[in-house]
Amino acid sequence: MPKIGNIELPDFPLLLAPMEDVSDPPFRALCKEQGADVVYTEFISSEGLIRDAAKSVIKLDIYEKERPVGIQIFGAELDSMLQAVDIVEKSNPDIIDINFGCPVKKVVSKNAGAGILRDIPLMVKLTEEMVKRTHLPVTVKTRLGWDSDSIKIVEVAERLQDVGIEAIAIHGRTRVQMYKGEANWKPIAEVKNNQRMHIPVFGNGDVDTPEAAMRMRDEYGLDGAMIGRASIGNPWFFKEVKHYFKMGTHLAPPTMEERVEAARRHLQMAIDWKGEKLGVFETRRHYTNYFKGIPHFKEYRMKMVTSDDSSDVFAAFDEVLEKFGDFQFV
Ligand SMILES: Cc1cc2nc3c(=O)[nH]c(=O)nc-3n(C[C@H](O)[C@H](O)[C@H](O)COP(=O)(O)O)c2cc1C
């Protein structure tokens, strides 16, 4: 069974990917309840943390019920990253994850995220010093390389392992690819097949069906799957994959009652965490996916995403259950 440091995981664990504005405490809690074995925060700026920027600091909030949880940070300045490690430790996560994969320009231009794939010695040095700084297990999330001509992930992963990381998650795209094309899991399998690798190697990118997760396990031999987009508005995805692995059959899609209950709990947890105003506002982006595919739903969706008062949103959920309670999802 794979382990991250002393954290014991089940066979072929499913990890909730770090996703900006998505992987917040309420969403992580819902995914955890539905079978995610490890959850990660969205990426947090090391520079923001050391300036004590409220926007960054609130992202450190974690809850007991989520564990094991990793806090992900990004940056390219050694001193800032080390100070950020000290700050992150105070939140007592189970794991500190380093983001070496974010492709967006404003991050990459500062050599952070996937930008560091152009400077492997710096990547290794930062990682080594961060590992030395903390008693917590450090993991890395990265991409295959900067571009298709510079895929050195087998060597990179081994060097990161040698400076002490406890697991690596690899998104099967290069920085240049951004999110385009299909994720290529072959180089990730090559990392896993390197005889010198002994830490878990998790695959990431396009695991959007239980069958895909199974291929990642059986054909590519990876130690677990990190799941991002397939879970947005669909925390049940983790349960579906686990059911498929165990039974070889597909679970029926969640009923309307389950969806309404998830939406209700999501909203309530968001309000408990950030207060009424922000809770109502930030949960809006999730409803479209919870209630996808229902005909003549616009009126209700509009109520959910335009009401500023949580009681109106909760009332809209009640109406939806009453009106569409028997709707059969496919
Ligand atoms: C909305 C969104 C936000 C993301 N934010 C982060 C992030 O904060 N940190 C990170 O390492 N990756 C981030 N990613 C990348 C995902 O973690 C993941 O690597 C990518 O979506 C591929 O996996 P998937 O095909 O399962 O979605 C983000 C992706 C999306 C769609």
Side-chain angles (χ1 to χ4, degrees):
M1 302 286 185
K3 277 171 89 176
I4 302 178
N6 291 325
I7 305 166
E8 296 194 12
L9 299 170
D11 189 34
F12 203 74
L14 305 179
L15 297 79
L16 170 65
M19 286 185 285
E20 186 178 19
D21 292 337
V22 179
S23 305
D24 59 9
F27 185 65
R28 297 196 303 259
L30 290 171
C31 290
K32 167 88 190 183
E33 283 170 21
Q34 298 297 333
D37 297 297
V38 182
V39 298
Y40 287 90
T41 66
E42 64 181 291
F43 71 165
I44 310 177
S45 160
S46 55
E47 304 293 340
L49 285 179
I50 65 177
R51 282 199 322 270
D52 203 24
K55 211 174 92 194
S56 298
V57 173
I58 194 165
K59 295 177 185 168
L60 294 172
D61 289 353
I62 54 175
Y63 293 90
E64 283 308 306
K65 62 185 171 191
E66 306 177 35
R67 292 189 187 280
V69 53
I71 292 183
Q72 188 191 63
I73 53 177
F74 72 98
E77 294 293 330
L78 178 59
D79 198 45
S80 308
M81 287 298 256
L82 293 179
Q83 285 186 55
V85 166
D86 298 344
I87 295 167
V88 166
E89 264 195 348
K90 291 191 194 121
S91 293
N92 197 23
D94 301 283
I95 298 163
I96 296 183
D97 186 67
I98 317 175
N99 177 318
F100 288 143
C102 177
V104 307
K105 228 184 202 156
K106 71 171 198 280
V107 172
V108 164
S109 64
K110 295 189 179 126
N111 282 334
I116 209 157
L117 288 164
R118 292 169 301 186
D119 188 349
I120 305 298
L122 177 63
M123 184 185 193
V124 175
K125 175 79 184 156
L126 278 182
T127 307
E128 179 174 17
E129 296 302 324
M130 290 169 74
V131 168
K132 279 190 203 152
R133 185 80 161 210
T134 177
H135 66 283
L136 292 169
V138 173
T139 59
V140 160
K141 177 166 180 280
T142 188
R143 288 184 173 233
L144 300 179
W146 176 259
D147 59 19
S148 56
D149 293 330
S150 61
I151 296 182
K152 300 190 201 104
I153 190 64
V154 174
E155 177 202 325
V156 169
E158 190 179 318
R159 289 178 68 183
L160 295 172
Q161 170 184 270
D162 289 349
V163 297
I165 65 165
E166 301 280 3
I168 187 163
I170 305 168
H171 179 184
R173 289 186 175 86
T174 62
R175 187 275 163 175
V176 166
Q177 275 179 292
M178 305 294 284
Y179 288 91
K180 291 196 278 290
E182 260 177 46
N184 180 4
W185 298 345
K186 268 201 201 126
I188 314 176
E190 285 166 20
V191 172
K192 175 65 195 167
N193 289 334
N194 174 358
Q195 297 292 317
R196 288 206 64 251
M197 286 304 278
H198 52 81
I199 59 169
V201 178
F202 301 124
N204 172 240
D206 300 351
V207 178
D208 52 7
T209 57
E211 287 86 344
M214 191 170 261
R215 276 199 307 280
M216 195 173 251
R217 183 186 72 175
D218 297 346
E219 291 174 30
Y220 291 80
L222 303 183
D223 293 308
M226 180 179 267
I227 292 160
R229 289 166 293 179
S231 69
I232 301 178
N234 187 13
W236 301 278
F237 187 66
F238 297 95
K239 188 164 82 173
E240 275 172 54
V241 173
K242 292 203 161 171
H243 177 90
Y244 185 76
F245 276 23
K246 202 164 155 199
M247 312 300 289
T249 56
H250 286 271
L251 208 56
T255 61
M256 183 59 89
E257 210 169 340
E258 288 171 302
R259 288 165 200 261
V260 167
E261 184 57 17
R264 258 195 210 124
R265 297 203 36 242
H266 198 147
L267 176 57
Q268 190 58 55
M269 285 191 278
I271 292 171
D272 294 344
W273 178 44
K274 281 202 168 167
E276 166 91 12
K277 197 166 168 225
L278 277 177
V280 166
F281 180 73
E282 291 187 2
T283 314
R284 285 178 182 167
R285 64 175 76 102
H286 293 270
Y287 302 136
T288 306
N289 280 324
Y290 282 147
F291 300 110
K292 206 152 61 187
I294 308 167
H296 314 298
F297 194 73
K298 193 166 171 204
E299 175 194 340
Y300 300 90
R301 181 162 33 246
M302 289 312 286
K303 273 191 202 165
M304 291 176 195
V305 302
T306 56
S307 307
D308 290 326
D309 193 325
S310 66
S311 56
D312 294 334
V313 185
F314 284 120
F317 296 154
D318 291 339
E319 277 179 63
V320 164
L321 197 54
E322 189 150 305
K323 179 143 176 83
F324 300 99
D326 296 330
F327 183 76
Q328 295 291 316
F329 289 89
V330 284

